[in-house]
Amino acid sequence: MNDTLPLIGAHGLDDVFAWRAQGAVRVREFLADAHALAARLPEGGWLLNVCEDRYHFAVGFAAGLLAGKVSLQPSSQSPETLQRLAADYPGVSWLGDRPGAVPDLPGLVFPDLSVQPRPEIHDMPRLDAERVVAILFTSGSTGLPQPHRKTWGKLVLNGRAEATALGLMQRPQSIVGTVPIQHSYGFESTFLIALHGGCQFAAGKPFYPQDIVAALDAVPRPRMLVTTPFHLSALLASELPLPPMDLVLSATAPLSPDLARRAEERCGAPVHEIYGSTESSALASRRTLDGAAWRLMEAVHLEHEGDTTYASGGHVEGRVPLADIIESGTEGCFLLHGRHADLINIAGKRTSLAYLNHQIGALPGVVDAAFFLPDELGDDGVTRLTAFVVAPTLDARALMAGLRQRLDAIFLPRPLVFVEALPRNSTGKLPRQALQALYTEKVGPGDGRG
């Protein structure tokens, strides 16, 4: 007989599990909602849960578990991605916050469960630890969704490991997240640590600074903000009075020590980062101001074969190759030296896009910036870097003067392009396809300026 694990592992039935506009939701009420929704879900083994409301997603995920469905969670909801999922997972249906969330597929708008028959809850549901309950997707090198299967047992360990690493098992917190719950970071750091780390989560997904402030004000302390460098920078730049926080968590891109320092001063809380990927799940954490080293989560270990590092153990599904260049240290610590795909070699000199982005982003007056290495060669046969910059108070001369103090001349951007905003996605990342489109629009293919 296979082992089973509880649906919610660190709460009693009468504990608060979530916060909605209407107030607190206790575990018993959440489970009643999940049972009521499970009875209404369309037929089929696959559920594409596109709810933006974090509570709706959570109820939908739990309802899918109760109904024997697998949650499909793509990193993009582009028409191409959704069409591919429909072809690869016959009979898939969607659950969303509004009508027509996924055109041309059967689905269900999240119903008003307060008027639905809801059972009395006396026991915690348990699930087979070996059962595949979710498939998370990365875009992969082809741009098409690449599936990564997650079993219930590993997801439970995932939530426990992250909560332990962040000290949440001893001091659970109310979570406000600015990141989508479908994506691996939001799924793990706003939902799994509530399911199995004893935390509570707020239903919304605030984006603008004033909405983030309101969401934090609406939940009790201790409270944590789960966010990205992009959202955190915008929040600090707004100069709004910030509610006291007890933890700030960041991921999806490296967090500069300067931004972390300013965030700790303004938020009154330590700023931590999570390292991981959709393939591997969260693997390590660090307090940014404590230094560059990362510490692995419990039971996870790394192995090196040539230039590739593999993660395994604990909550990792199998043995997963990592995209980053990693230098292992002692006692479960390691250093990151950028991504293999980010390494740049121009005229025999090497650097990484992460290093270049850090240098330009550290210049006073730069709000946001990103280097881009186009596929095309310049007129002299050398690839020239482009940099897109959001810096309303700077001109090109001042910005280039600052870069010359930080970069070898071969890595100076040619051209330097000022834009009003960078095409970041909902997690604050900059997909290469989006930068390529911006390059084509602003610079043009075959532009050989030097």
Side-chain angles (χ1 to χ4, degrees), residues 18-86:
W19 295 93
R20 306 182 70 190
Q22 302 92 319
V25 180
R26 301 190 182 277
V27 171
R28 196 185 301 275
E29 299 169 272
F30 172 81
L31 293 174
D33 281 349
H35 278 282
L37 181 62
R40 293 177 56 87
L41 290 176
E43 297 293 323
W46 316 104
L47 181 64
L48 179 59
N49 190 338
V50 296
C51 293
E52 293 188 8
D53 181 292
R54 211 171 298 272
Y55 185 76
H56 287 178
F57 175 93
V59 173
F61 185 86
L65 294 180
L66 297 173
K69 298 180 184 296
V70 177
S71 178
L72 302 182
Q73 298 172 211
S75 60
S76 165
Q77 293 181 15
S78 68
E80 179 186 27
T81 296
L82 298 178
Q83 289 168 10
R84 174 61 61 129
L85 291 183

Side-chain angles (χ1 to χ4, degrees), residues 126-178:
R126 299 182 68 87
L127 303 163
D128 181 354
E130 299 299 319
R131 175 179 153 195
V132 174
V133 296
I135 302 178
L136 277 62
F137 295 84
T138 54
S139 59
S141 58
T142 63
L144 298 175
Q146 304 297 309
H148 301 280
R149 297 155 66 91
K150 306 292 181 178
T151 60
W152 180 242
K154 295 294 189 181
L155 291 186
V156 171
L157 291 177
N158 188 338
R160 291 176 182 171
E162 182 170 341
T164 298
L166 297 174
L168 301 176
M169 298 296 268
Q170 295 75 32
R171 195 186 187 206
Q173 306 210 14
S174 303
I175 302 167
V176 171
T178 67

Side-chain angles (χ1 to χ4, degrees), residues 213-270:
V213 169
L216 287 165
D217 269 329
V219 298
R221 295 185 69 181
R223 56 192 168 208
M224 65 182 286
L225 176 64
V226 176
T227 190
T228 71
F230 173 69
H231 292 104
L232 187 57
S233 179
L235 179 63
L236 299 184
S238 72
E239 298 186 350
L240 291 169
L242 300 182
M245 300 174 219
D246 298 277
L247 181 66
V248 176
L249 189 64
S250 179
T252 73
L255 186 63
S256 72
D258 176 65
L259 180 55
R261 186 175 298 107
R262 289 188 288 118
E264 290 205 357
E265 291 171 356
R266 291 281 304 282
C267 301

Side-chain angles (χ1 to χ4, degrees), residues 349 384 407-414:
K349 295 188 176 182
R384 297 296 186 188
L407 302 178
D408 188 294
I410 197 70
F411 298 122
L412 292 175
R414 300 179 178 89

